[in-house]
């Protein structure tokens, strides 16, 4: 027991010299002033609870292009889904295919692919949309007209600092 206490004493001694960061509490409270409105009474959810009891746990959101997933998985508004993996494993191709299905469901889609330049993403998706192996003018024009107001591409190629990308993700999820 004495031996363990010395470990704790060591930790306490090391921490005693630590300095807490300066926090501007006034700025914090101003920035989060509307948070208190998010604190609600349980009875405020009565209508939602009643609807849930009537309808069960319905799955909502955009469907993937694979019918087997329709009753198991959806992309819901305000949520962010990240698909990660190694270069060349066809993430962009699969997401392009899924994104076209989302567009068919009148969903907004934002793509950030740091392995492909935006023009390559757009051409690939136009080919997928038109079921064509070539990216001819007609296919691209048809695709552009189809998704003009619902498809967004983050124009960045190469490495990305997460601190720079995070606000973009928040914006896309919210807007």
């Amino acid at each position: 027991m004495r031996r363990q206490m010395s470990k704790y004493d060591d930790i306490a001694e090391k921490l005693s010299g630590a300095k807490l960061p300066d926090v501007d509490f006034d700025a914090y409270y101003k920035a989060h002033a509307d948070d208190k409105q998010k604190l609600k009474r349980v009875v405020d959810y009565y209508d939602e609870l009643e609807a849930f009891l009537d309808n069960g746990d319905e799955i909502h959101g955009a469907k993937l292009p694979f019918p087997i997933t329709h009753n198991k998985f959806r992309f819901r508004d305000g949520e962010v889904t990240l698909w990660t993996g190694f270069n060349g494993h066809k993430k962009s191709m699969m997401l392009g295919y899924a994104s076209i299905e989302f567009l068919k469901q009148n969903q907004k889609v934002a793509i950030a692919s740091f392995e492909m330049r935006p023009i390559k993403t757009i051409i690939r998706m136009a080919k997928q949309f038109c079921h064509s192996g070539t990216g001819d003018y007609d296919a691209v024009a048809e695709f552009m007209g189809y998704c003009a107001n619902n498809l967004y591409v983050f124009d960045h190629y190469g490495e990305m600092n997460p601190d720079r990308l995070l606000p973009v993700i928040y914006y896309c999820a919210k807007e």
Side-chain angles (χ1 to χ4, degrees):
M1 183 71 170
R2 179 130 178 97
R3 189 173 179 194
Q4 284 182 336
M5 289 301 287
S6 68
K7 285 182 183 178
Y8 295 126
D9 290 340
D10 251 4
I11 293 169
E13 187 176 319
K14 288 177 183 172
L15 290 175
S16 68
K19 185 179 182 236
L20 293 174
D22 291 330
V23 176
D24 183 351
F25 287 104
D26 288 333
Y28 173 82
Y29 288 124
K30 286 178 186 171
H32 296 87
D34 64 328
D35 286 352
K36 64 184 169 189
Q37 294 175 15
K38 292 183 179 190
L39 191 58
K40 297 181 179 182
R41 300 172 307 151
V42 171
V43 296
D44 294 336
Y45 293 93
Y46 182 82
D47 291 339
E48 280 185 67
L49 288 167
E50 191 174 61
F52 179 83
L53 292 172
D54 289 343
N55 302 317
D57 195 9
E58 291 181 9
I59 298 175
H60 299 282
K63 300 173 188 173
L64 285 167
F66 317 109
I68 196 169
T69 64
H70 292 181
N71 292 323
K72 296 178 172 92
F73 181 80
R74 299 283 178 91
F75 289 79
R76 296 183 297 240
D77 288 345
E79 294 183 357
V80 175
T81 302
L82 299 174
W83 292 28
T84 65
F86 296 102
N87 290 356
H89 278 185
K90 306 298 182 197
K91 296 177 303 295
S92 297
M93 184 171 65
M94 179 61 79
L95 281 170
Y97 185 50
S99 295
I100 290 167
E101 183 65 24
F102 299 156
L103 293 167
K104 288 178 183 175
Q105 298 168 52
N106 202 32
Q107 298 290 313
K108 291 189 183 294
V109 175
I111 297 174
S113 176
F114 307 126
E115 298 172 8
M116 289 174 51
R117 297 197 185 278
I119 193 70
K120 293 280 191 178
T121 299
I122 295 166
I123 290 291
R124 176 185 278 176
M125 289 180 71
K127 290 177 185 179
Q128 290 173 315
F129 177 78
C130 295
H131 306 285
S132 167
T134 62
D136 62 22
Y137 290 104
D138 291 338
V140 171
E142 183 180 349
F143 177 67
M144 296 297 270
Y146 181 76
C147 65
N149 295 319
N150 286 338
L151 180 61
Y152 301 83
V153 179
F154 184 64
D155 191 356
H156 184 89
Y157 177 74
E159 290 185 24
M160 169 58 67
N161 179 332
D163 292 336
R164 186 168 168 224
L165 182 61
L166 197 55
V168 175
I169 293 171
Y170 283 136
Y171 177 80
C172 291
K174 187 175 179 181
E175 300 299 326

